Amino acid sequence: MLDLKFIRENAGLIREKHHQRGTEFDIEGLLKLDAERRRLVVDIEQWRREKKSLSQQVHETRTGEGTDDKAPDLVAKSREISTALKESEDRLQAIEQELNNLLLLIPNLPHASVPTGQSPDENVEVRRWGTARTFDFEPRPHWEIGEDLGILDLARAARMAGTRFPLLKGDGALLERALINFMLDLHVREHGYTEVFPPLLVSEESMVGTGQLPKFAPELFKMADDPYYLIPTAEVSVTNIHREEILGPGALPLCYVAFTPCFRREAGSYGKDTRGIIRQHQFNKVELVKFTEPARSYETLEQLTTDAEEVLKRLELPYRVVALCTGDLGFAAAKTYDLEVWFPSQAVYREVSSCSNFEDFQARRAGIRYRPAPGAKVGFVHTLNGSGLAIGRTWAAILENYQQADGSVAIPEVLRVYMRGLTKIEPH
RNA sequence: GGAGAGGUGGCCGAGCGGCUUAAGGCAGCCGCCUGCUAAGCGGUUGUAGGGUGAUGAGCUCUACCCCGGGUUCGAAUCCCGGCCUCUCCGCCA
């Protein structure tokens, strides 16, 4: 959410930024409502002041010794004001509701360093790491490797739940667990994050806080009989840990890492990534979330991205870092780096992590503030998050990059300690 | 799921229709004082939105005692609904 006062004073800038994003928004309509709201507030406050003073006079008249009791007149007048006041208050409430609904639909503004562009084609590669392995055979896609090894069973998963659900077995399930543990340990022990395990179901308010709602309701799984939503990412739970809080001096930065399953309806992605486990309704993810002071959020974004990259480096998976252009930026993000890992079967880089700075966009929605120093004025924090990493896609990338001519899959060195010393997964 | 108790400022805690512009304490900040420290004394300290100033300081108004309605000239205080916490019972991993 953008600051209303900021919108009032920077309408032109907002229009320009929206144009870069490829979104349109009726700023004039919003500002008209805002002007009306302010007029009403002035009226209402005047009524209230008068009413307050009348009540006081009633009291004084009744408790005083005076014989000429003017109370009935005062009461009558006060009643009159109450009626007018109530009417204005109702209107104000309606306008504020409408204003807030509009504000919740305005996307964040891209940071000045974000490349301008309309589509993902205009994203900018920032750096590349590792070299793609050369195969002396035709590299196969991860679903074939997995099915043949008996560690992935999408047919049975589909029968039990439907398409886009995972069923891992044996060493496949073990590999999933190893990845989770490896990533958590790395971020906790070496990068200084605090591990949390948050709720997987959250309230509507939390979804509004991080920006999934109201705009992206079709993307979410919602409980039919209870007011809960399944989280599409741990970002939602973890960022909302501090909702409606004022963090004390010295509390920042806060760094959390969470492993959670994530649930997405993937509405509108029919026909996309139908094979394999790239796009699932349920997948595991290790998520990094940071809360910082505004002045430090961009250096923090670089650090966060580096922390996520370290996972790929240690797994020795070739990847590249891409700066999303204005047109590809998510609704709440001011700047985003995607980490894309190499998939030899299709000879493409695919996203395994998305690291974003939301500046104060989520903090304003969720009411997450901080006090820079004792007695100082409070301000909104900046929030950031990034996958560190998506487990399912990393799992698939390992199968593809580490596949052998005989159909087996070698286990990356760093994972072996998490897999009882296993060096390869073989068919059985 | 059932029964009871309760939700007041950064924290503790009083108030239960107008004398509360929320008592008192703790903590914080600024002074004073005393070789230092401690103690003591005085002052000060919430959030949001308006008005007026220069988008500053200041002055000023309104709202906020979990949230939303209602009663009343007037609500932290009374009534209704909701949420949350605690205790006990039931059920359960």
Side-chain angles (χ1 to χ4, degrees), chain A residues 320-338:
Chain A
R320 61 175 192 167
V321 180
V322 166
L324 297 195
C325 72
T326 50
D328 200 25
L329 217 50
F331 175 76
K335 182 171 186 174
T336 299
Y337 291 117
D338 273 5

Side-chain angles (χ1 to χ4, degrees), chain A residues 61 95 184 192 235 332 361 409:
Chain A
T61 309
I95 284 170
L184 284 173
E235 160 193 355
F361 188 85
V409 170

Side-chain angles (χ1 to χ4, degrees), chain A residues 95-259:
Chain A
I95 284 170
E96 282 184 335
Q97 180 73 52
E98 201 180 333
L99 210 47
N100 198 46
N101 289 346
L102 288 173
L103 283 172
L104 289 176
L105 293 172
I106 304 177
N108 204 354
L109 304 179
H111 186 250
S113 65
V114 173
T116 307
Q118 298 295 308
S119 76
D121 304 334
E122 292 172 82
N123 291 344
V124 173
E125 183 175 307
V126 177
R127 57 184 167 267
R128 209 176 261 238
W129 184 91
T131 29
R133 201 183 124 197
T134 47
F135 290 85
D136 49 12
F137 58 94
E138 188 67 26
R140 297 190 301 153
H142 66 272
W143 58 88
E144 278 182 29
I145 304 166
E147 300 273 356
D148 287 354
L149 286 171
I151 61 173
L152 177 68
D153 192 341
L154 293 175
R156 285 200 174 91
R159 213 178 305 145
M160 135 200 357
T163 54
R164 296 199 193 281
F165 284 96
L167 174 57
L168 304 180
K169 301 195 293 194
D171 291 340
L174 179 60
L175 175 60
E176 180 88 359
R177 185 152 56 90
L179 282 168
I180 295 164
N181 286 329
F182 160 64
M183 291 184 202
L184 284 173
D185 282 353
L186 174 65
H187 296 308
V188 170
R189 296 212 280 239
E190 299 190 39
H191 297 156
Y193 290 77
T194 301
E195 184 173 349
V196 292
F197 188 81
L200 306 181
L201 290 171
V202 298
S203 67
E204 181 178 331
E205 287 72 27
S206 289
M207 286 293 183
V208 171
T210 34
Q212 281 73 23
L213 289 177
K215 209 174 172 190
F216 304 101
E219 283 297 317
L220 300 172
F221 283 111
K222 186 185 185 197
M223 298 297 114
D225 299 323
D226 297 285
Y228 303 129
Y229 292 83
L230 275 165
I231 57 169
T233 158
E235 160 193 355
V236 178
S237 310
V238 179
T239 304
N240 278 288
I241 287 175
H242 295 295
R243 68 174 294 112
E244 306 298 336
E245 272 189 48
I246 298 173
L247 299 161
L252 298 174
L254 287 164
C255 305
Y256 295 108
V257 58
F259 150 70

Side-chain angles (χ1 to χ4, degrees), chain A residues 3 35 50 91 109 125 142 156 160 196-197 202 236 244 248-249 263 272 277 303 323 336 356 360 406 412 417 428:
Chain A
D3 180 27
E50 205 168 323
R91 251 180 75 210
L109 304 179
E125 183 175 307
H142 66 272
R156 285 200 174 91
M160 135 200 357
V196 292
F197 188 81
V202 298
V236 178
E244 306 298 336
F263 304 90
K272 268 191 214 162
I277 59 165
Q303 184 59 57
T336 299
S356 303
D360 62 7
D406 64 1
V417 66
H428 50 271

